[in-house]
Amino acid sequence: MRIAGKEINLRNLKKNDAISLFTSANDKDITRYTLLPYPYTLKDAKDFIEITKRNTRLKKAFELGIELKETKEIIGMNSLTNVDWKNKNAEIGYWLGKEYWGRGIMKEAIKLLLYFGFKKLKLERISATVLQPNLASAKLLEKSGFIYEGKLRRAILRRGKWYDQLCFGILKTELRK
Ligand SMILES: CC(C)(COP(=O)(O)OP(=O)(O)OC[C@H]1O[C@@H](n2cnc3c(N)ncnc32)[C@H](O)[C@@H]1OP(=O)(O)O)[C@@H](O)C(=O)NCCC(=O)NCCS
């Protein structure tokens, strides 16, 4: 699967993406508010690629690499997970290699993934959750058309610390042209 954008493409991961995946993901600033382990090893990357293949085959999740058009390297991930076919919804999750932050790349990636989720998968709703201190991610979601739907207090215990979780959602009818 490949979804073409302007500066980036979203595509399925291949075995030989492991090194670029590992290089970008092995960063404390990325794992702080995500479920990625730290340190993130080359084996983590290889195992993850196999998991994404299985999930895609079973239509359980669509975990797409963000490929920089200029270099063809994978510089981050943007995924639809927990796909619920009965209720036509899924959850979005993402991260980007730090050297590419602040260039509008994730905004473009989310726009492409929303189009895929609503137009191709025919979903009705896409949701996102953010740990409260992750202001960058909350702002990004709002800029991408998500609506803030509320806060789950002390919902997540991560590395010995409690976090409130912010909930966002976007409906098929709210997709921008
Ligand atoms: C969150 C993250 C994906 C943002 O990616 P990015 O490509 O830098 O974001 P963009 O450049 O597309 O920014 C789009 C909008 O998001 C908001 N934003 C992005 N970074 C921000 C920051 N550090 N502070 C405040 N707002 C920010 C802005 O509103 C921005 O729009 P603007 O440039 O018009 O003001 C990236 O910082 C990241 O990978 N963080 C670590 C992993 C993570 O937290 N993942 C999300 C878990 S819920």
Side-chain angles (χ1 to χ4, degrees):
M1 188 187 328
R2 170 178 289 267
I3 308 169
K6 254 168 67 186
E7 207 180 338
I8 52 148
N9 299 315
L10 298 182
R11 65 160 173 83
N12 289 329
L13 295 174
K14 298 178 291 199
K15 264 204 173 109
N16 61 5
D17 293 320
I19 289 182
S20 41
L21 199 60
F22 151 71
T23 310
S24 288
N26 187 29
D27 181 335
K28 257 195 181 144
D29 290 335
I30 291 180
T31 56
R32 182 169 297 127
Y33 302 128
T34 62
L35 288 172
L36 269 67
Y38 183 81
Y40 189 93
T41 63
L42 185 58
K43 181 172 186 311
D44 289 327
K46 286 179 178 166
D47 291 347
F48 176 68
I49 292 170
E50 289 310 308
I51 292 168
T52 65
K53 284 184 186 164
R54 193 167 60 236
N55 286 341
T56 309
R57 200 172 56 241
L58 297 172
K59 293 190 162 50
K60 273 174 68 177
F62 299 87
E63 292 146 315
L64 301 177
I66 301 174
E67 178 190 71
L68 192 65
K69 278 194 160 182
E70 203 182 314
T71 61
K72 300 272 182 285
E73 291 285 308
I74 293 295
I75 58 168
M77 290 297 300
N78 193 13
S79 308
L80 288 173
T81 58
N82 296 329
V83 181
D84 176 349
W85 292 109
K86 180 170 173 282
N87 295 302
K88 295 182 186 290
N89 66 58
E91 199 172 322
I92 194 169
Y94 42 80
W95 62 265
L96 186 67
K98 197 157 60 188
E99 66 180 287
Y100 301 99
W101 288 6
R103 286 169 42 174
I105 289 181
M106 197 54 83
K107 203 165 153 212
E108 184 185 358
I110 290 180
K111 194 170 154 192
L112 296 173
L113 197 65
L114 289 181
Y115 192 85
F116 171 72
F118 289 128
K119 299 286 181 188
K120 303 282 179 212
L121 302 182
K122 311 273 186 221
L123 297 175
E124 187 65 24
R125 168 188 165 80
I126 294 175
S127 61
T129 57
V130 173
L131 298 189
Q132 169 118 53
N134 195 353
L135 181 71
S137 186
K139 286 256 178 254
L140 168 68
L141 288 168
E142 280 174 345
K143 282 249 165 148
S144 303
F146 282 74
I147 307 289
Y148 173 63
E149 296 179 328
K151 174 157 72 180
L152 303 179
R153 296 170 304 153
R154 286 170 84 80
I156 301 291
L157 180 60
R158 181 83 44 87
R159 300 178 190 101
K161 191 171 179 299
W162 284 102
Y163 291 93
D164 292 347
Q165 198 174 34
L166 308 179
C167 303
F168 293 83
I170 183 169
L171 305 181
K172 181 174 69 185
T173 50
E174 292 163 348
L175 184 67
R176 294 172 189 155
K177 296 230 166 59

